[in-house]
Amino acid sequence: MIEHHDLHHEFPEMGEQIRELKMKNRHFARLFDEYHDVDREVRKIEEQAEAASDERLEELKMRRLHLKDELYGMLKQATEEA
């Protein structure tokens, strides 16, 4: 079974901060969109709907992880400032 990695599943307790930052912070919104684009591509490969090398899949997973870490940092900072 393919796991869901969208931010609302990853950080359910931060749903309000995610919505707020998407509306108020253009950098966050851009990273959010990129994260979900990469996640969709990973899922397509994992579901075998799209062919890719193992190296490509690992690159995408690392990019998704990097983006998630950056987004989490922004969410955490917004939570601390609230």
Side-chain angles (χ1 to χ4, degrees):
M1 176 131 185
I2 307 296
E3 289 184 42
H4 290 279
H5 288 277
D6 65 271
L7 285 186
H8 292 285
H9 277 92
E10 294 290 322
F11 309 119
E13 71 284 358
M14 296 181 162
E16 183 61 37
Q17 290 89 349
I18 291 170
R19 281 185 289 282
E20 189 172 316
L21 281 175
K22 277 176 43 181
M23 292 188 310
K24 295 182 178 180
N25 185 315
R26 292 174 69 194
H27 180 64
F28 182 90
R30 184 183 61 78
L31 293 176
F32 178 91
D33 289 343
E34 182 179 351
Y35 175 87
H36 284 90
D37 289 344
V38 171
D39 184 53
R40 274 190 290 277
E41 195 168 343
V42 168
R43 278 188 284 131
K44 285 180 187 177
I45 294 167
E46 290 178 336
E47 293 169 349
Q48 299 178 346
E50 189 172 296
S53 67
D54 290 342
E55 293 82 19
R56 176 69 178 145
L57 180 58
E58 289 306 311
E59 286 174 16
L60 289 168
K61 286 182 175 182
M62 290 301 293
R63 180 68 185 146
R64 180 176 65 185
L65 181 61
H66 173 75
L67 288 164
K68 183 169 76 171
D69 287 346
E70 191 169 349
L71 289 162
Y72 177 74
M74 294 172 79
L75 287 164
K76 189 174 178 185
Q77 182 178 1
T79 301
E80 291 170 356
E81 292 173 357

